[in-house]
Amino acid sequence: MNSKLTRYQQRTICSQLGNSKLKLLYKASIHGFTGAAFHQRCDTRCPTVSVGYNASGYVFGGYTKQPFCQSGQYVNDDQAFLFTFSGEKLNKYPVTTPVYAVKMIANSGPYFGEALVLVNGNQAVVHSNPGNYYTFNAADVHGNDLKLTECEVYEVEESTEIEKPWRTIVWESEKRKELMESIRLYKPMVSSVSQIRVLLIGAVGAGKSSFFNSINSVFRGHVTSQAIAGSSSTSLTTQFRTYSLKAGREGKPLPVMLCDTMGLEESTGAGLDIDDISSILKGHLSDRYQFNPSAPLQSEASSFRKSPVLKDKIHCVAYVMDACKISIMPTKLQEKLDAIRRKINLMGIPQLVLLTKVDEACPLVMEDVRNVYKSGYIKEMMQEASAQLGVPLSCIVPVKNYCEELELDPNTDILLLSAIIQMLRFADNYFDEISDFEVKE
């Protein structure tokens, strides 16, 4: 049985219930829109979350800690509440008269007071009567569309959240200073290279440009936005850009350069061309090269660097992936990433994954970014990214970019700086592996 609730919606509901996860018990489209089917699957189970869906796109329902039965009686529950999703936000409507919180009716599904009934009278319909033990606006909760397309009931179980972090990280201001100093003092292992070049690859909107802006912000000491970043269905980056980081506004360039590209898109002839990636990796593209999604760069073009040396080449590749979209990645995009990864593998360039928007993906992390390695959900997303890209879990680094904040947060900085440290280590591996011939270039 597949859950209709998205993982984010499940996490959002669970964030209201303490450390918990949801287990699907009843799905009306499979078991039937009847009271008997509901009670057969859900009686004696508790606590539960019941969810209704309609054709107008509303997702709404209720929570009770009491087990369902068929007594015909009201049951007292001072923790019961109704809810609806408004986009990704959960709106809650607590019970106003707890002694009438839930009614146990044989010929209906979940029955919250007299206010909201799912699968009412053995029908795929909702009974709605605001003000009867719960106060809400019917238009807000279900849009006055009382026909159900689906009804689900979940049992609330103890959480998979890990009390002990599964990856060690020190959340202290001294650690932040130490990471910044390590980056400032880093020197590539090859004398001909003063800055390692890291290529950022990812889908449109994954957060490539935002990652550069965030790292830049950490070293500038305030939130900045030098690279164009935002939300758009097509790539906001249309040129190949090489961004040199500086240690403060007037500071020296740091030993790392982030190379930003056009976002990957599903359709052919849109977004970054795979052949252009080869040119970037080999160092043929100069800064501000204007991408043409319908045709890769030709070697005769004036912007084509014909004889690149080691310092022009890419020394590490970072795939930037949105944690909220990993489980719904389109097949065409997956195929493009597979083709890119095969190409990079052949060239022996080390690869890591930046998992962005971890705060949006998990309410536990939204609450406190230090929970990132305590979140079972984030670990699942990292495992999924590992499987999709064929990279070990140790090569996946979760980060939170600065998007709406005006001030820096030390814990967010520590995650971002840790990602740069990994890039430096991976670049060292690359310099270790390249042939003597290339070193002497």
Side-chain angles (χ1 to χ4, degrees):
M1 269 196 310
N2 292 325
S3 163
K4 195 169 170 67
L5 267 186
T6 67
R7 283 183 171 180
Y8 185 83
Q9 288 169 335
Q10 291 184 47
R11 297 300 315 153
T12 304
I13 292 169
C14 288
S15 71
Q16 303 293 319
L17 308 174
N19 284 340
S20 56
K21 63 178 181 177
L22 301 181
K23 178 186 176 184
L24 186 56
L25 299 175
Y26 164 75
K27 191 174 179 77
S29 60
I30 292 175
H31 303 117
F33 285 91
T34 67
F38 156 70
H39 284 291
Q40 183 188 354
R41 306 278 308 182
C42 303
D43 280 3
T44 75
R45 310 293 281 270
C46 64
T48 53
V49 172
S50 303
V51 191
Y53 306 82
N54 62 26
S56 303
Y58 286 81
V59 179
F60 56 96
Y63 164 83
T64 176
K65 66 180 180 183
Q66 297 289 5
F68 289 112
C69 65
Q70 300 173 59
S71 65
Q73 304 297 309
Y74 284 105
V75 177
N76 186 347
D77 184 354
D78 60 354
Q79 292 175 35
F81 61 85
L82 301 181
F83 65 85
T84 189
F85 278 95
S86 174
E88 292 183 339
K89 184 172 174 256
L90 183 80
N91 296 323
K92 267 175 75 174
Y93 309 95
V95 64
T96 53
T97 315
V99 291
Y100 299 114
V102 187
K103 197 172 184 181
M104 304 302 177
I105 300 294
N107 70 341
S108 288
Y111 205 113
F112 292 90
E114 295 294 338
L116 188 76
V117 184
L118 304 175
V119 190
N120 187 41
N122 296 320
Q123 302 284 323
V125 295
V126 177
H127 168 74
S128 175
N129 194 4
N132 280 284
Y133 319 131
Y134 296 87
T135 303
F136 60 92
N137 183 306
D140 291 340
V141 171
H142 46 60
N144 290 314
D145 179 353
L146 301 180
K147 289 183 179 176
L148 287 172
T149 56
E150 183 63 276
C151 176
E152 295 177 327
V153 178
Y154 297 81
E155 186 173 17
V156 180
E157 296 185 322
E158 280 191 34
S159 173
T160 56
E161 303 311 340
I162 309 156
E163 285 185 23
K164 187 181 176 187
W166 52 273
R167 193 179 269 180
T168 307
I169 192 162
V170 178
W171 303 104
E172 290 172 5
S173 57
E174 273 308 307
K175 183 64 178 175
R176 178 180 178 274
K177 287 179 191 169
E178 184 189 309
L179 292 169
M180 289 179 78
E181 195 60 15
S182 295
I183 294 165
R184 281 194 193 101
L185 297 176
Y186 169 84
K187 282 190 170 60
M189 297 171 70
V190 180
S191 58
S192 63
V193 178
S194 59
Q195 290 177 302
I196 67 152
R197 290 165 71 98
V198 180
L199 177 63
L200 304 177
I201 296 176
V204 171
K208 299 187 308 302
S209 302
S210 296
F211 176 72
F212 164 75
N213 287 335
S214 299
I215 294 292
N216 202 29
S217 299
V218 176
F219 282 96
R220 287 288 180 96
H222 59 89
V223 176
T224 65
S225 54
Q226 182 180 335
I228 298 169
S231 53
S232 173
S233 57
T234 55
S235 184
L236 292 170
T237 306
T238 60
Q239 295 179 323
F240 174 64
R241 291 305 319 270
T242 56
Y243 293 110
S244 185
L245 295 158
K246 285 185 179 176
R249 190 169 181 179
E250 303 297 328
K252 291 180 180 176
L254 293 168
V256 59
M257 186 177 277
L258 297 177
C259 304
D260 197 8
T261 58
M262 249 187 124
L264 294 175
E265 294 182 43
E266 286 179 70
S267 48
T268 310
L272 184 63
D273 188 285
I274 292 175
D275 289 329
D276 274 342
I277 289 180
S278 281
S279 297
I280 296 168
L281 296 170
K282 292 171 183 173
H284 291 300
L285 262 60
S286 51
D287 186 34
R288 296 187 183 274
Y289 163 70
Q290 186 72 39
F291 288 111
N292 177 2
S294 57
L297 177 67
Q298 301 300 314
S299 57
E300 299 79 39
S302 58
S303 50
F304 189 87
R305 190 185 283 124
K306 286 189 167 58
S307 305
V309 292
L310 186 59
K311 69 181 178 67
D312 302 319
K313 298 179 180 182
I314 296 299
H315 312 125
C316 173
V317 171
Y319 299 99
V320 183
M321 300 182 80
D322 180 345
C324 303
K325 294 182 178 172
I326 282 180
S327 52
I328 53 169
M329 184 185 286
T331 309
K332 290 266 177 73
L333 200 56
Q334 175 75 56
E335 288 169 357
K336 271 193 179 180
L337 275 172
D338 289 345
I340 291 165
R341 179 154 166 68
R342 284 195 298 272
K343 200 169 278 254
I344 296 169
N345 281 345
L346 288 171
M347 297 177 72
I349 301 170
Q351 300 154 73
L352 58 81
V353 178
L354 296 179
L355 194 68
T356 60
K357 306 186 186 182
V358 287
D359 54 323
E360 292 177 37
C362 177
L364 195 73
V365 181
M366 176 81 80
E367 193 181 293
D368 188 342
V369 76
R370 289 175 297 182
N371 289 329
V372 67
Y373 290 125
K374 289 183 179 179
S375 167
Y377 179 65
I378 293 299
K379 188 172 186 183
E380 276 178 40
M381 291 300 95
M382 289 171 69
Q383 286 167 335
E384 202 161 325
S386 168
Q388 281 188 7
L389 278 170
V391 298
L393 206 56
S394 57
C395 297
I396 300 178
V397 187
V399 293
K400 176 188 180 305
N401 289 334
Y402 287 111
C403 295
E404 56 187 24
E405 298 83 356
L406 296 176
E407 300 298 330
L408 297 177
D409 167 61
N411 296 319
T412 300
D413 293 354
I414 287 170
L415 273 186
L416 289 162
L417 293 166
S418 298
I420 294 290
I421 292 289
Q422 285 302 102
M423 292 172 181
L424 301 181
R425 289 171 179 166
F426 277 42
D428 280 345
N429 293 344
Y430 173 75
F431 296 131
D432 272 341
E433 293 293 325
I434 56 174
S435 67
D436 287 345
F437 172 76
E438 284 183 298
V439 172
K440 289 171 186 170
E441 265 192 325

